[in-house]
Amino acid sequence: MMKRGIVIDREAQMIGVYILDTGETYRGFPRKKVLKKTKIYAGDFVLGEIVDKNTFTIEDIEKRKNFLKRPPVANVDKVMIVSTIKFPDFDNFLVDNLLVVYEYLKSDPIIVFNKIDLLDEEGLKELKRWEKIYTDAGYDVLKVSASTGEGIDKLTDYLAGTISVFAGASGVGKSSILSKLIGVELETGEISKKLKRGRHTTTGVKLFPFGDKSFVGDTPGFSSVDALYFLDKRDIRNYFREFLRYSCKFPNCMHINEPGCEVKLAVEKGEISEERYRSYLKIIKDEN
Ligand SMILES: Nc1nc2c(ncn2[C@@H]2O[C@H](COP(=O)(O)OP(=O)(O)OP(=O)(O)O)[C@@H](O)[C@H]2O)c(=O)[nH]1
Ligand SMILES: [Mg+2]
Ligand SMILES: [Zn+2]
């Protein structure tokens, strides 16, 4: 009988398949005709047959909705851009670059603020301020603490039925959130050891099943990035979500100093945040 599965383990010679209706895992062996057609990535939905208690023959691969190169995962529904207000200090320029790049890669970035347990009154105010800025810009914002577990259930519900991966600076708590989501309680150093165990190549990716048919990747995406590496300076404006609500006098308006620029007017009126606009100018290197 044909079964539908998802590739959750992908290394050099290894394809691990998770059968969606039972949650059992098998080693997948693609037919030649499948290999001829395409490569196989973590996140791929596959159709095939269980031939014995370890073996699943892959007869077909479903069309991908997207493919993220970094990390190499197919069918990514959400990229969690993890940040902190403190420890380390919030870096909005990094977040804005990541938002542009993952938006461009069609992978629906969201913002996850971690380490909220470390915030005093002033820190919480700062969190609220940034939360409003990104919500107004059109992004979903979630707040968690991987230490106390606060917000983890909400994040789990939010991610129900999705394939997601992490991005964000070093030390913000990506591995810690991953271990909370999948329920592996270990010291962070050990977690990374355990999660990386048996990995022989740097290209290997695992997806961990959790919650309600959700899968999260163990290999983080970018920790820092320059959007200009991916996109032409002139295209950056198309990946600031809130800019797209406005039509300027000139369709090719760069929103710098042009007459009839509705985006600049929206910044002056406070409809678009100064911080986001400044990031935009900094990304396209027009900071004066
Ligand atoms: N207080 C507090 N500490 C946290 C929290 N989340 C993570 N940490 C700590 O922050 C440090 C970094 O966490 P990691 O999970 O390793 O961060 P990471 O984003 O995976 O870092 P890289 O792997 O270097 O990119 C560790 O010492 C964690 O124990 C949190 O919610 N609250
Ligand atoms: Mg990590
Ligand atoms: Zn404009």
Side-chain angles (χ1 to χ4, degrees), residues 15 25-29 50-56:
I15 302 173
T25 56
Y26 294 85
R27 180 152 180 189
F29 292 89
I50 296 164
V51 291
D52 65 40
K53 77 180 195 351
N54 300 311
T55 315
F56 182 83

Side-chain angles (χ1 to χ4, degrees), residues 164-180:
S164 61
V165 298
F166 292 100
S170 183
V172 292
K174 298 178 294 294
S175 302
S176 306
I177 296 172
L178 170 67
S179 73
K180 265 287 189 276

Side-chain angles (χ1 to χ4, degrees), residues 39-263:
K39 283 192 174 187
I40 299 177
Y41 297 104
D44 268 326
F45 290 101
V46 294
L47 298 167
E49 294 199 49
I50 296 164
V51 291
D52 65 40
K53 77 180 195 351
N54 300 311
T55 315
F56 182 83
T57 55
I58 300 172
E59 304 284 344
D60 205 0
I61 298 187
E62 292 179 16
K63 193 173 185 308
R64 291 177 192 117
K65 97 167 191 184
N66 62 20
F67 174 68
L68 217 57
K69 265 204 201 122
R70 181 89 175 252
V73 179
N75 299 311
V76 174
D77 296 299
K78 299 280 176 197
V79 174
M80 291 180 262
I81 296 180
V82 182
S83 317
T84 51
I85 295 294
K86 288 259 179 282
F87 315 107
D89 280 351
F90 185 51
D91 182 350
N92 69 305
F93 184 59
L94 168 61
V95 168
D96 292 333
N97 267 281
L98 289 171
L99 286 172
V100 166
V101 169
Y102 282 110
E103 190 97 74
Y104 165 72
L105 297 172
K106 296 192 186 7
S107 55
D108 204 9
I110 66 162
I111 296 171
V112 178
F113 282 108
N114 186 35
K115 306 197 189 185
I116 57 172
D117 58 294
L118 296 179
L119 299 180
D120 57 12
E121 206 173 314
E122 190 203 347
L124 287 170
K125 251 199 202 153
E126 192 65 0
L127 172 64
K128 233 180 176 166
R129 191 171 79 82
W130 286 110
E131 183 185 9
K132 180 166 166 34
I133 287 173
Y134 286 102
T135 310
D136 288 351
Y139 291 98
D140 288 341
V141 175
L142 286 106
K143 298 163 286 182
V144 302
S145 164
S147 292
T148 67
E150 193 180 346
I152 295 294
D153 285 349
K154 229 179 171 174
L155 179 59
T156 301
D157 290 347
Y158 178 90
L159 294 172
T162 67
I163 298 174
S164 61
V165 298
F166 292 100
S170 183
V172 292
K174 298 178 294 294
S175 302
S176 306
I177 296 172
L178 170 67
S179 73
K180 265 287 189 276
L181 286 175
I182 66 177
V184 179
E185 295 283 354
L186 284 172
E187 292 304 313
T188 313
E190 287 179 49
I191 292 167
S192 24
K193 243 191 271 162
K194 164 150 188 180
L195 298 181
K196 283 186 186 128
R197 195 182 51 193
R199 173 142 315 149
H200 303 297
T201 66
T202 49
T203 53
V205 182
K206 259 190 214 299
L207 295 178
F208 291 93
F210 71 103
D212 182 13
K213 294 224 174 358
S214 319
F215 299 86
V216 61
D218 70 333
T219 309
F222 296 102
S223 54
S224 76
V225 79
D226 178 355
L228 284 187
Y229 178 80
F230 288 84
L231 293 93
D232 191 273
K233 172 176 165 170
R234 263 173 296 264
D235 294 326
I236 300 286
R237 62 203 161 126
N238 298 324
Y239 300 95
F240 271 72
R241 276 191 190 175
E242 66 272 52
F243 293 6
L244 304 179
R245 298 177 198 141
Y246 300 90
S247 325
C248 302
K249 182 174 173 193
F250 302 112
N252 60 353
C253 186
M254 287 287 286
H255 318 315
I256 302 171
N257 276 319
E258 298 90 334
C261 176
E262 294 292 325
V263 166

Side-chain angles (χ1 to χ4, degrees), residues 264-277:
K264 209 165 175 200
L265 189 63
V267 176
E268 279 157 25
K269 288 197 286 195
E271 293 173 12
I272 288 177
S273 98
E274 294 253 7
E275 289 83 351
R276 288 273 295 164
Y277 182 63

